[in-house]
Amino acid sequence: MRYKSEVAKQLHSVLPELSIETIESLLEKPKHEQHGDLAFPCFELAKTMRKAPAQIAAALAENLDADIFTKTEAVGPYVNFFLNRNIVSKDIIAIVLEEKEAYGSHTNGIGKTMVIDYSSPNIAKPFSMGHLRSTVIGNSLKQIGEKCGYQVVGINYIGDWGTQFGKLITAYHKWGEEDKVKQHPIKELFRLYVRFHEEVKEHPELENEGRAWFKKLEDGDKEALKLWTWFRSESLQEFSRIYDLLGVKFDSFNGEAFYNDKMDKMAEFLEQKGLLTESEGAQVVMLEDEQMPPCLISKSDGATLYATRDLAAAMYRQGMYKFDRALYVVGGEQSLHFQQIFSVLRKMGYKWVDGMTHVPFGLILKDGKKMSTRKGRVILLEEVIAEAIALAKKNIEEKNPALANKDEVARQVGVGAILFHDLKNERIHNIEFSLEQMLKFEGETGPYVQYTYARACSLLRKAAYEPQEASALTDDNSWSIIKLLEAFPNVVATAFARYEPSHIAKYVLDLAQAFNKYYGHVRILEEDAEKSARLALVYAVTVVLQEGLRLLGVDSPSEM
């Protein structure tokens, strides 16, 4: 809270032994509104002052006096502070009206660069629900990073290399037909990929054929390269359509293949620094001191591995972007891999590795199980998006058939439902896939927040409101909203510090619920002395709801 520091300064004047920062960290929000707006617990002081916490609280409450709060009271071991609603409400609304969409911004990232590696689907496979989490979490962190002043580079590290392409080429030669692939590229390539893994159970020699074809691909074989290039081109077209639907953009599509000519140099660097060790014919970097298994750099046949490529990618990105932070929005099952990568870079003596972070997330499960492209247990994201948009369109036709731009609003609401359903959950948790839950248009959902925004915009249109000078509002319903508006900059900072978009999602839900309660209890458009102040509050809500949704990658239709 903006006013935490003011209250902390007042407490510091009577508790000079505690720093303002320490006091601010101890201040908390009371569970019940009747206990004020901020509370200071006195348990810690009891140890040094050798008094009961309740005694300390009573003494502090008597000695505090400032314009910023109207009352202080001791309740047991707590000092409760009641902020001056006149001052705070006018101040907060004025700031939002002045700063508009810039409200909640921070400057700590100005002059710094952050790269985010996210989405990164494999080519020749359909874009499934399993790819959704990395895509939407990464996209949201990109917006939040920019809000905090960083220049953010979004990287889609496409999975366009590896032994799976040897398997796919083998499958295409055995069972593929050119016309079928041309007609439905991704669908047909996916069918071949699944068939390979079914056939290999009966014919294990297929694994060797797949490995051989990948080696040919690595060695530049014309037939292998021709097929790989075709598969890649078709896949990128498919992905672009999905990203356009989701409203997700990238600054770089340099995938795994981009680093092919940088792999040998990476191995040379490691050799020069004396970090490579031979183990059973393979080249590894030992990580015994870090209590981790060795990091494999190349296999006994000379083929490179993911680690080599990720090391080369990190080196390239630092050289290219001079990043201060680098985020890898990749599933939690890859945690050991990234610990190894960061440890190897540290052993190489690179200080910039301290700015690199793996941002893990849980899985989207189907019937409690992980989705698997090998087994064909996959839900196609495009089909889910289409169904969500169709449901949104149906709702619009029923409730507001005269709405202009129905198709565009249906897209915004349908896609918003999917994105919000993911981002309202803490990223580390698994999510059970449920189309019914995802597409609900009431409760804790994206469409609920969007509808709240549209409702507020409708009020402003009816009143022909133009932003003007802010006035104070002191009633309980207004105060609940004002405290939430005041908290927005801190929510943004916390979401960035923890790389946790769910903080933003939960915040906009709280703000939407507080506004709807306000709407139900207050006659906003009534002609009286406070009408302009109420409309200014409504306008401030639209500004912050729209900006909060934008940070999640969700659109805000002004009519629904």
Side-chain angles (χ1 to χ4, degrees), residues 369-414:
K369 296 175 182 175
K370 181 181 176 180
M371 294 179 189
S372 169
T373 47
R374 288 184 182 185
K375 297 173 184 174
R377 187 170 60 235
V378 67
I379 297 167
L380 301 186
L381 179 57
E382 191 168 19
E383 291 176 5
V384 175
I385 293 172
E387 194 160 344
I389 292 171
L391 181 59
K393 181 84 178 285
K394 184 184 171 191
N395 279 1
I396 291 166
E397 293 287 5
E398 288 172 2
K399 295 176 182 175
N400 192 2
L403 179 68
N405 305 317
K406 275 188 278 194
D407 289 339
E408 176 56 16
V409 174
R411 184 199 67 78
Q412 292 176 322
V413 174

Side-chain angles (χ1 to χ4, degrees), residues 211-222 224-225:
R211 276 194 284 270
W213 267 111
F214 178 57
K215 191 71 173 71
K216 284 184 179 182
L217 184 58
E218 283 204 306
D219 293 340
D221 177 84
K222 281 186 180 178
L225 275 173

Side-chain angles (χ1 to χ4, degrees), residues 41 69-70 72 80 125 211 243-244 296 312 355 381 404 411 486 495:
F69 42 82
T70 53
T72 58
N80 293 336
K125 293 181 188 175
R211 276 194 284 270
Y243 291 132
D244 287 346
L296 285 159
L381 179 57
R411 184 199 67 78
E486 195 266 348

Side-chain angles (χ1 to χ4, degrees), residues 334-456:
Q334 294 295 319
S335 290
L336 175 60
H337 169 77
F338 285 107
Q339 287 173 32
Q340 289 179 310
I341 296 300
F342 301 160
S343 290
V344 172
L345 289 167
R346 212 165 265 119
K347 279 181 177 288
M348 294 176 80
Y350 297 121
K351 299 287 185 191
W352 43 263
V353 71
D354 294 338
M356 298 173 74
T357 306
H358 173 214
V359 180
F361 53 85
L363 303 167
I364 292 185
L365 305 175
K366 184 185 177 188
D367 303 322
K369 296 175 182 175
K370 181 181 176 180
M371 294 179 189
S372 169
T373 47
R374 288 184 182 185
K375 297 173 184 174
R377 187 170 60 235
V378 67
I379 297 167
L380 301 186
L381 179 57
E382 191 168 19
E383 291 176 5
V384 175
I385 293 172
E387 194 160 344
I389 292 171
L391 181 59
K393 181 84 178 285
K394 184 184 171 191
N395 279 1
I396 291 166
E397 293 287 5
E398 288 172 2
K399 295 176 182 175
N400 192 2
L403 179 68
N405 305 317
K406 275 188 278 194
D407 289 339
E408 176 56 16
V409 174
R411 184 199 67 78
Q412 292 176 322
V413 174
V415 171
I418 294 167
L419 301 187
F420 198 90
H421 181 265
D422 187 300
L423 294 172
K424 75 178 182 183
N425 294 283
E426 288 184 32
R427 60 175 164 77
I428 205 65
H429 293 163
N430 293 338
I431 301 173
E432 179 66 36
F433 174 78
S434 164
L435 199 58
E436 185 187 354
Q437 287 297 317
M438 191 174 285
L439 303 185
K440 274 189 175 177
F441 287 77
E442 66 283 325
E444 296 187 346
T445 67
Y448 170 77
V449 181
Q450 289 172 315
Y451 180 73
T452 304
Y453 172 78
R455 169 182 269 179

Side-chain angles (χ1 to χ4, degrees), residues 76 116 131 141 160 172 290 310 341 358 380 431 449 491 503:
I116 307 184
H131 297 110
L141 290 177
D160 58 1
Y172 177 74
E290 290 79 6
D310 277 350
I341 296 300
H358 173 214
L380 301 186
I431 301 173
V449 181
V491 172
H503 286 295

Side-chain angles (χ1 to χ4, degrees), residues 27 34 64 108 133 141 161 234 303 352 365 413 443 450 471 493 496 501 515 548:
L27 283 166
Q34 66 264 32
L64 290 164
N108 49 309
R133 302 220 67 195
L141 290 177
W161 206 250
E234 295 289 356
W352 43 263
L365 305 175
V413 174
Q450 289 172 315
S471 305
F496 180 73
F515 176 77

